[in-house]
């Protein structure tokens, strides 16, 4: 995912979407919930509408928050007998709650080697699909990234992203199924990201998942994008293999499936999120700290652009590569929030310091797009073309500028990662304190098992090495998903689907009405198929020690936090 772009190029990016751009800039600035950074985004009013008119799904179509979280009490639709766990109301993706016949005496779905779940991810600019078994084997995965499409605009353009998802989705799902050698009717369920993310992008994946489930009579599992980032750390040993294993057809031991047993601390760092989470179980998350402004991935993306890098393959990887050639001590950029003894994050100040250094040592182009002029690019050029410098520079000057850029990149990364290090060290202490004061039985209680680092930025080698040192200093293992499962992908959604399905947090296949496109003869229905989505959806409740302010007055649009099975 790319950072929010501003300036003349953005207007060019979408002639007809000029107004939407301003609207979104305001919305993005005002957003309090985990955000993604987009160009010309338009909130999809449809996505906030309740589900189809029937009693199912319940009003507003999503689970209530845990006790103490304000939310309208929707009708509770239980999936099983009255002694079964309370799963809250259904999400509304399917036609009804999971049939009781699927559940065991504990109200759970037996999940194991023969359970095969397809996961679909389209929340932002990657179309991902994967097939994963209940015991954590990845049978097949496929991905279509849109980096090149958005690179020239300096941020994700939602309409372009939607179009790209629409043209890729069938092929990506088919490729994942083919790689897994599984036909759709053999699937146990389909999991799909329903939020947070860009509504018009989420919709593409959800429509595909609903269609497949309807066609083949499969249960559907709604997935929270950030929970998926965290839970992918629990996928087996990270291997991708097609070997079969017909044993182990039960999930009696909740933590036998993963490398990161609950409770664990997760540092989630992506393009739209920067969070420290105490994870005590599926759907049981305490947010110890979050982003007060920019997320780290966004800061990487923007800095890469300011440095004039080729961001076609992502700003983060480009900046990381440049930083390898630089001196991390060359610039003394401020490590953010040192005086605030909490676990929140802020990257806006660092970003400004970097911009000022760039302007001072490399010059400030007249149009404000720091390197467009230096690179000799006109507004019509493709900003992803690379880091060609102005040919009028002498060889010495070009070499000097190159060294300065590498030093700035390395120094930015040093301060940015130091911030992660300091906050994570404190969060480990907070998490241990919470668990020590808690009487909850395991897996919710007990000792902290490990530190998980996940999300796109977790593919960065410096981040991985630094957090490894923080964890070992605390006597904890560090669990890192392989880099390709850190950036958005289908495996993480399929795996989160496995974990949720096992808890019965799924719904029966959508009805024919749910997957049909309304016609004009049906005035009672909207002109477009209604799809329940949660574009703004917190992962958990905020810890009492977290002081971060909610900057938005639009909290009404934010869904109650994700939950799992309570009771
Ligand atoms: O998780 P992700 O794929 O999408 C979101 O959910 O946002 O994360 C994408 C973010 C982008 O901002 C990208 O620049 C950043 O992760 N990223 C990196 C690296 N690879 C991806 N940042 C720093 N170093 C990397 N190697
Ligand atoms: Zn992500």
């Amino acid at each position: 995912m790319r950072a929010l772009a501003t300036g003349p190029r953005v207007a060019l990016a979408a002639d007809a979407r000029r107004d939407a751009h301003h609207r979104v800039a305001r919305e993005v600035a005002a957003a309090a919930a985990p955000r993604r950074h987009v160009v010309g985004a338009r909130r999809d009013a449809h996505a906030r509408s309740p589900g189809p008119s029937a009693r199912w799904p319940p009003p507003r179509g999503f689970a209530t928050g845990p006790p103490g979280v304000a939310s309208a009490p929707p009708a509770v639709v239980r999936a099983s007998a009255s002694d079964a766990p309370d799963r809250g109301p259904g999400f509304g993706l399917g036609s009804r709650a999971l049939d009781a016949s699927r559940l065991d005496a504990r109200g759970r779905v037996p999940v194991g080697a023969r359970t095969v779940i397809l996961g679909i991810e389209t929340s932002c600019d990657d179309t991902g699909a994967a097939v994963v078994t209940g015991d954590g084997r990845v049978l097949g995965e496929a991905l279509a990234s849109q980096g090149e499409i958005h690179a020239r605009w300096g941020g994700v353009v939602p309409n372009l992203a939607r179009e790209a998802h629409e043209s890729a989705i069938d092929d990506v799902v088919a490729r994942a199924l083919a790689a897994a050698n599984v036909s759709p009717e053999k699937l146990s369920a389909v999991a799909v990201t329903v939020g947070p993310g860009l509504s018009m992008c989420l919709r593409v994946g959800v429509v595909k998942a609903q269609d497949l489930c309807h066609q083949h009579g499969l249960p559907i599992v709604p997935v929270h994008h950030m929970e998926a980032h965290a839970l992918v750390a629990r996928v087996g040993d990270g291997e991708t293999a097609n070997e079969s294993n017909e044993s182990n057809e039960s999930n009696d031991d909740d933590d036998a499936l993963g490398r990161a047993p609950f409770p664990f601390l997760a540092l989630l760092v992506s393009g739209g999120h920067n969070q420290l989470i105490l994870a005590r179980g599926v759907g049981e998350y305490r947010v110890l700290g979050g982003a007060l402004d920019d997320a780290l991935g966004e800061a990487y993306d923007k800095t890469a652009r300011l440095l004039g890098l080729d961001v076609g393959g992502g700003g983060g990887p480009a900046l990381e590569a440049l930083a390898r050639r630089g001196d991390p001590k060359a610039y003394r950029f401020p490590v953010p929030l040192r005086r605030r003894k909490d676990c929140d994050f802020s990257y806006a100040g660092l970003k400004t310091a970097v911009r000022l250094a760039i302007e001072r040592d490399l010059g400030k182009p007249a149009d404000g797009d720091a390197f467009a002029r230096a690179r000799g690019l006109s507004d019509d050029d493709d900003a992803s073309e690379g880091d060609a410098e102005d040919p009028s520079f002498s060889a010495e000057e070009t070499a000097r500028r190159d060294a300065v850029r590498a030093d700035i990149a390395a120094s930015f990364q040093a301060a940015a990662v130091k911030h992660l290090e300091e906050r994570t060290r404190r969060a480990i202490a907070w998490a241990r304190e919470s668990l020590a004061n808690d009487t909850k039985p395991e897996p919710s209680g007990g000792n902290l098992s490990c530190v998980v680092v996940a999300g796109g930025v977790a593919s960065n080698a410096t981040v991985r090495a630094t957090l490894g040192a923080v964890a070992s200093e605390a006597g904890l293992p560090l669990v890192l998903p392989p880099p390709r499962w850190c950036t958005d992908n289908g495996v993480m959604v399929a795996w989160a689907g496995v974990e949720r399905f096992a808890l019965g947090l799924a719904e029966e296949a959508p009805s024919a009405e749910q997957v049909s496109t309304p016609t004009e003869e049906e005035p009672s229905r909207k002109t477009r198929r209604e799809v329940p989505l949660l574009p703004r959806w917190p992962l958990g409740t905020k810890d009492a020690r977290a002081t971060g302010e909610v900057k938005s007055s639009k909290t009404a649009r934010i869904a109650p936090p994700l939950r799992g099975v309570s009771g």
Side-chain angles (χ1 to χ4, degrees), residues 1 36 225 229 270-272 297 301 316-317 320 456-457 459-460 487-488:
M1 193 181 113
R36 288 174 171 257
H225 181 81
H229 270 306
S270 70
D301 292 338
E320 180 183 14
V457 186
S459 57
N460 178 292
T487 44
D488 292 349

Side-chain angles (χ1 to χ4, degrees), residues 205-359:
V206 171
V207 162
K208 177 72 183 177
Q210 282 187 312
D211 287 351
L212 271 174
C213 290
H214 174 71
Q215 195 182 344
H216 302 288
L218 303 170
I220 189 162
V221 194
V223 166
H224 188 294
H225 181 81
M226 297 312 291
E227 178 177 54
H229 270 306
L231 293 182
V232 78
R234 289 162 56 81
V235 176
D237 57 5
E239 67 185 4
T240 57
N242 274 322
E243 89 267 16
S244 69
N245 174 4
E246 298 299 324
S247 60
N248 182 21
E249 193 60 24
S250 104
N251 61 344
D252 271 349
D253 177 353
D254 283 331
D255 283 320
L257 295 172
R259 296 184 303 149
F262 294 119
F264 62 81
L265 179 80
L267 169 65
L268 304 179
V269 264
S270 70
H273 298 79
N274 229 104
Q275 291 183 312
L276 277 156
I277 308 276
L278 172 57
R280 305 170 122 183
V282 173
E284 271 193 71
Y285 306 103
R286 179 62 58 99
V287 181
L288 302 176
L292 300 179
D293 40 60
D294 301 349
L296 181 52
E298 183 196 2
Y300 264 96
D301 292 338
K302 285 186 177 168
T303 304
R305 250 183 89 69
L306 279 173
L307 286 168
L309 302 183
D310 177 349
V311 295
L319 193 104
E320 180 183 14
L322 178 62
R324 259 183 236 123
R325 294 194 274 116
D327 173 5
K329 298 208 173 97
Y331 288 80
R332 294 173 62 90
F333 292 132
V335 177
L337 299 184
R338 279 215 151 133
R339 291 208 197 122
R340 282 178 63 145
K341 306 292 180 208
D342 60 24
C343 300
D344 288 329
F345 297 92
S346 166
Y347 284 104
L350 175 60
K351 205 180 61 193
T352 303
V354 170
R355 184 173 52 76
L356 293 175
I358 289 172
E359 289 174 2

Side-chain angles (χ1 to χ4, degrees), residues 259 450-453 463-469 471-472 476-480:
R259 296 184 303 149
C450 64
V451 177
V452 165
V453 184
V463 170
R464 294 167 89 87
T466 305
L467 272 298
S472 71
L476 294 169
L478 180 77
V479 179
L480 290 161

Side-chain angles (χ1 to χ4, degrees), residues 360-394:
R360 191 190 61 217
D361 295 349
L362 294 167
K364 182 179 177 183
D367 68 0
D369 190 2
F371 270 75
R373 195 186 56 170
R375 293 167 54 203
L377 291 173
S378 75
D379 271 352
D380 294 331
D381 288 324
D382 185 333
S384 73
E385 269 170 5
D387 17 10
E389 285 278 20
D390 188 325
S392 66
F393 290 141
S394 67

